[in-house]
Amino acid sequence: MQMNQAQQQAVQHKDGPMMVLAGPGSGKTFVITERTRYLIEKHNIPENRILVITFTKAAAGEMKYRFLNRMGISRTGVSFGTFHAIFFTILKYAYRFNGNNIAREEVRIPIIKEIIHHLRIDNEDEKDLVNDLLSEISLVKGSRIDITNYYSINCSDEVFRKVYTEYNNKLRKANLIDFDDMLVYCHQLLKERPDIRKLWQNKFQYILIDEFQDINKIQYEIIQMLAQPYNNLFIVGDDDQSIYRFRGAKPEIMLKFPEDYPQSKKIVLDKNYRSTSNIVDAANKLIRHNQKRFPKEVSSVRGAGGEITIRDFKALGEENQMIAEEILSLHKKGMKFSQMAILVRTNMGSGALLHKLMEYNIPFRMRDSLPNIYEHWVAVDLISYIKIAMGSNERGLYLRIINRPKRYISRDCFDTTEVNLEAVKDYYEDKNWMLERLDQLEYDLALLADMRPYAAINYIRRGIGYEDYLKEYADDRKINVEELIEILDELQDNAKAFKNYDEWFGYMDEYREELKRQAARSQDRDTDSITIATMHSSKGLEFNVVFIVDANEGIMPHKKAVLAADIEEERRLFYVAMTRAKDHLYIMSTRERYNKVMEHSRFIDEITGERKDNKR
């Protein structure tokens, strides 16, 4: 590859700190591998004095492969690795740690489950709560937050402090460390032991970091210690593509780098080799609306290409229909399915789209594991109501729904595998108000027995009061009830097509099998299938054709984005999604979703230059 002037300047930089702002498709991996080669071949820097850090194991492997290929050798003394791998290596020498000391997911999850049960934390979906708590523990460690001053986002502050303390105590007792402890311990070690710090500083005299915009506080502080006294820090990234604040990444670290290192040089890689001019120009228009960023103007080295397609549909069904038809049309013209991608803001909510792809026999693979909406605990609650109405007396079904909404019926009533409501009434024979509740439940179940699925869900939500129960639950768990209501909306919308329960349940079984098939397909890289990915997981990928779906307010930007910094992050996420496209980009919104009026995203107006109050 012929280097442009900016790439050449970056590659030939030798000593001192340098920040390389690398726009999308600007050849940043090429620059990192070339600069590593240049240090070795032109400046005779010993290979074992160079450290190249990336954020994922796959990226580190790819970087190393490209470097070896370029050098024409089969092995190297250059250290390529993730932050965790490099910091664990430092700990191995100091504390004689080995792989057995690492607490992996299969160990951490049972520990958190045990703590939840021990502390009797109420939850409806243990899997979600476990994942949320582990993410939050990771955020606290990575941001070096004092737990005594921390306000939890998943439960009460007092409960979270207990979870956090107990989790760490259990790890210590088992002589285990998690991935975040690798950072915490390494930081502590280098800070407290100048002799060990000096040893590693001498070893890593040239440090190159990829995707620097995703760095967190503790990673940066360790790197600063390791880089002294030479400060040969070569950081590569794009502040406009920083999209992991929820994981503790701090885009402001990159923005402040010139202040931390006033002698640092800056190079902007502003030539995009991936996308056509129309796509690049539209993305530029969008990202310029962010205030906190390095000003830069990326330009395409390719031709103008086709116009971006921006479409506003009356309803979700029309949008999905158009996507399916357009995919098949492109495929007939010779475009492989694997060259196309559909990007969504979150996985939950894409069920209707998948149904449409299945209907048209379009093969797809999920970049992320797709949650089956029919296995979500809210769906299981609704299905339990319906199964009881259809005649099932299973104890487990009654235990699920009996206090959703609250009826204050004791679980002790259900002491047999088959439930008899008359026996439950006998239990409460002296309590008229409880008998009234049981009579109401019987009446509700009798009504449900003869309804179509769509009407049944509506009745459970509003007639029985399940939606009120969800509001209470959301308040207790500090989560947005809208996310749970959306599950109800999607289930109800999906149920419209079915005349009776048997049809609906039969479809659920088919859907489950199809998801299994696509999961298997995802493992088989040779299958020609379209990629469906969240915007977050699309980062680093590229496709000839990209469909951005549901570009609506409340989805993009997400309804959780309230502060200015949140909106800027959402805009960066949209920018990342747009710049995955090489030749064709479709951005689609709907005016209605699950019987609710929707507005198209403000980001569309920023791209087209229209004002938000202009209704289209």
Side-chain angles (χ1 to χ4, degrees):
M1 177 176 163
Q2 185 69 37
M3 278 192 273
N4 63 44
Q5 194 181 351
Q7 289 173 332
Q8 210 165 355
Q9 284 178 291
V11 166
Q12 291 174 2
H13 172 76
K14 183 173 178 278
D15 294 324
M18 172 174 268
M19 176 170 67
V20 178
L21 293 174
S26 61
K28 68 181 176 63
T29 305
F30 173 73
V31 164
I32 292 170
T33 51
E34 279 301 292
R35 195 228 174 192
T36 307
R37 185 174 75 91
Y38 198 83
L39 287 172
I40 296 161
E41 292 184 349
K42 300 291 182 194
H43 296 294
N44 299 314
I45 306 297
E47 290 186 22
N48 62 358
R49 292 282 182 264
I50 302 171
L51 169 63
V52 180
I53 304 179
T54 65
F55 273 81
T56 66
K57 198 173 172 183
E62 170 71 10
M63 193 81 77
K64 185 174 181 177
Y65 171 79
R66 289 210 205 174
F67 172 74
L68 293 173
N69 219 21
R70 189 76 178 94
M71 294 286 284
I73 53 176
S74 59
R75 50 181 304 176
T76 178
V78 177
S79 297
F80 288 89
T82 62
F83 282 104
H84 290 99
I86 301 301
F87 297 164
F88 188 61
T89 300
I90 292 172
L91 295 177
K92 273 200 292 192
Y93 283 99
Y95 300 131
R96 299 286 185 269
F97 279 144
N98 61 46
N100 295 328
N101 298 108
I102 300 173
R104 302 183 190 279
E105 289 297 277
E106 57 268 26
V107 173
R108 297 167 71 222
I109 289 170
I111 288 175
I112 292 288
K113 280 184 180 176
E114 193 184 323
I115 294 168
I116 289 170
H117 297 158
H118 173 235
L119 295 176
R120 295 186 176 169
I121 301 171
D122 284 337
N123 70 92
E124 301 306 337
D125 189 345
E126 188 174 76
K127 188 180 170 192
D128 269 6
L129 181 59
V130 168
N131 289 336
D132 290 345
L133 289 171
L134 285 173
S135 295
E136 196 166 2
I137 289 167
S138 179
L139 186 70
V140 170
K141 290 182 180 181
S143 304
R144 298 193 63 231
I145 299 170
D146 181 349
I147 190 67
T148 54
N149 302 324
Y150 179 70
Y151 298 99
S152 174
I153 48 181
N154 287 302
C155 48
S156 77
D157 303 332
E158 186 190 350
V159 167
F160 181 75
R161 277 193 277 274
K162 284 180 182 170
V163 171
Y164 184 84
T165 306
E166 211 168 307
Y167 168 78
N168 285 321
N169 288 343
K170 284 180 184 293
L171 288 187
R172 301 299 161 264
K173 278 179 189 165
N175 196 26
L176 292 171
I177 61 170
D178 64 19
F179 283 95
D180 299 294
D181 290 330
M182 290 179 194
L183 312 184
V184 174
Y185 279 35
C186 195
H187 187 280
Q188 208 175 332
L189 176 72
L190 295 177
K191 205 169 176 59
E192 293 172 4
R193 291 288 301 273
D195 54 332
I196 292 175
R197 186 169 71 236
K198 193 168 192 310
L199 189 143
W200 289 100
Q201 285 170 342
N202 284 334
K203 170 154 178 60
F204 298 133
Q205 291 180 12
Y206 288 84
I207 301 175
L208 299 87
I209 305 176
D210 187 21
E211 304 283 12
F212 189 80
Q213 76 278 351
D214 296 331
I215 203 165
N216 69 23
K217 191 170 190 287
I218 196 165
Q219 288 165 340
Y220 185 49
E221 288 180 6
I222 296 170
I223 288 299
Q224 285 183 298
M225 284 191 270
L226 281 178
Q228 291 169 0
Y230 310 103
N231 287 334
N232 292 327
L233 258 181
F234 186 85
I235 67 159
V236 182
D238 183 5
D239 55 307
D240 289 334
Q241 294 186 72
S242 178
I243 56 172
Y244 295 117
R245 248 177 5 121
F246 67 96
R247 285 190 201 156
K250 299 230 172 279
E252 53 271 29
I253 291 174
M254 188 166 196
L255 293 168
K256 277 187 71 224
F257 188 81
E259 288 174 39
D260 294 341
Y261 295 93
Q263 74 279 32
S264 65
K265 292 175 180 166
K266 183 172 89 173
I267 295 283
V268 182
L269 302 184
D270 54 6
K271 296 280 181 284
N272 183 315
Y273 291 88
R274 176 190 301 150
S275 309
T276 61
S277 293
N278 282 334
I279 293 169
V280 171
D281 293 347
N284 283 342
K285 277 184 194 171
L286 173 78
I287 204 63
R288 266 190 228 118
H289 284 80
N290 272 5
Q291 302 298 309
K292 294 187 174 173
R293 63 184 290 262
F294 290 113
K296 61 186 91 66
E297 202 60 35
V298 179
S299 60
S300 171
V301 300
R302 300 179 58 201
E307 291 294 322
I308 293 175
T309 303
I310 298 177
R311 292 279 305 273
D312 195 21
F313 295 90
K314 183 173 179 291
L316 195 58
E318 284 183 21
E319 180 188 60
N320 293 336
Q321 179 87 15
M322 183 269 186
I323 292 167
E325 288 172 0
E326 195 67 14
I327 288 168
L328 288 178
S329 168
L330 288 163
H331 187 61
K332 277 177 191 163
K333 289 173 188 167
M335 181 81 68
K336 286 184 176 177
F337 288 124
S338 58
Q339 293 172 321
M340 298 184 254
I342 299 170
L343 303 186
V344 296
R345 175 62 180 83
T346 62
N347 258 333
M348 199 53 88
S350 52
L353 173 61
L354 299 192
H355 297 173
K356 188 57 70 178
L357 297 181
M358 289 177 196
E359 189 187 313
Y360 276 76
N361 288 320
I362 295 170
F364 62 89
R365 72 174 79 227
M366 300 297 302
R367 175 86 179 157
D368 320 74
S369 63
L370 178 74
N372 182 347
I373 191 166
Y374 300 115
E375 290 170 2
H376 190 283
W377 64 268
V378 168
V380 176
D381 284 354
L382 300 186
I383 292 164
S384 298
Y385 264 110
I386 289 167
K387 283 185 174 173
I388 294 170
M390 290 169 74
S392 175
N393 292 317
E394 263 183 66
R395 178 175 180 266
L397 297 176
Y398 274 94
L399 289 176
R400 269 204 85 88
I401 60 98
I402 200 66
N403 285 309
R404 301 178 187 180
K406 284 202 172 77
R407 298 181 178 92
Y408 300 97
I409 297 171
S410 169
R411 293 171 74 90
D412 298 341
C413 305
F414 306 99
D415 53 1
T416 56
T417 51
E418 294 284 310
V419 173
N420 180 342
L421 272 184
E422 291 308 314
V424 178
K425 286 181 185 176
D426 290 344
Y427 185 91
Y428 286 111
E429 62 183 345
D430 56 341
K431 295 186 174 67
N432 285 337
W433 71 92
M434 292 304 284
L435 292 174
E436 281 174 24
R437 284 173 190 165
L438 287 163
D439 284 340
Q440 181 65 48
L441 175 62
E442 268 191 308
Y443 173 78
D444 290 335
L445 292 168
L447 277 182
L448 286 175
D450 297 320
M451 288 182 180
R452 289 170 73 131
Y454 180 84
I457 295 173
N458 199 46
Y459 187 73
I460 295 166
R461 289 176 74 162
R462 297 181 175 91
I464 292 177
Y466 184 76
E467 221 169 280
D468 294 332
Y469 155 72
L470 286 184
K471 285 170 189 163
E472 278 180 45
Y473 173 75
D475 281 347
D476 291 346
R477 267 288 316 277
K478 291 171 125 178
I479 58 177
N480 188 341
V481 71
E482 280 303 311
E483 289 177 24
L484 299 175
I485 299 297
E486 273 177 19
I487 301 290
L488 287 176
D489 288 339
E490 188 176 342
L491 283 165
Q492 193 168 347
D493 196 65
N494 291 349
K496 265 183 192 168
F498 304 99
K499 296 186 188 71
N500 56 54
Y501 297 135
D502 287 336
E503 249 186 50
W504 194 39
F505 291 158
Y507 174 76
M508 286 180 205
D509 292 338
E510 276 176 43
Y511 185 66
R512 190 178 300 112
E513 289 310 308
E514 179 56 37
L515 288 185
K516 280 184 194 166
R517 281 193 289 275
Q518 79 79 18
R521 196 182 291 134
S522 295
Q523 302 304 313
D524 179 7
R525 294 288 155 214
D526 296 330
T527 308
D528 184 30
S529 50
I530 191 162
T531 296
I532 301 175
T534 61
M535 292 175 155
H536 281 103
S537 70
S538 73
K539 190 161 175 291
L541 304 178
E542 58 181 35
F543 302 91
N544 294 66
V545 182
V546 167
F547 296 88
I548 296 176
V549 298
D550 305 329
N552 286 93
E553 287 290 306
I555 301 174
M556 303 172 198
H558 198 273
K559 63 174 105 26
K560 282 184 184 171
V562 179
L563 306 173
D566 300 331
I567 296 294
E568 294 218 344
E569 176 106 343
E570 291 287 307
R571 191 176 282 112
R572 290 194 292 268
L573 189 56
F574 205 92
Y575 176 77
V576 165
M578 289 178 73
T579 54
R580 300 310 93 203
K582 290 158 78 170
D583 303 309
H584 305 285
L585 175 62
Y586 297 78
I587 301 174
M588 290 179 271
S589 58
T590 59
R591 277 170 258 148
E592 183 188 277
R593 187 181 174 89
Y594 307 136
N595 299 318
K596 289 179 188 163
V597 174
M598 303 290 285
E599 275 189 78
H600 66 260
S601 170
R602 70 191 73 178
F603 300 151
I604 290 176
D605 294 320
E606 291 170 4
I607 292 162
T608 59
E610 291 181 28
R611 287 168 55 84
K612 185 71 198 152
D613 49 319
N614 287 357
K615 298 291 177 198
R616 290 183 299 158

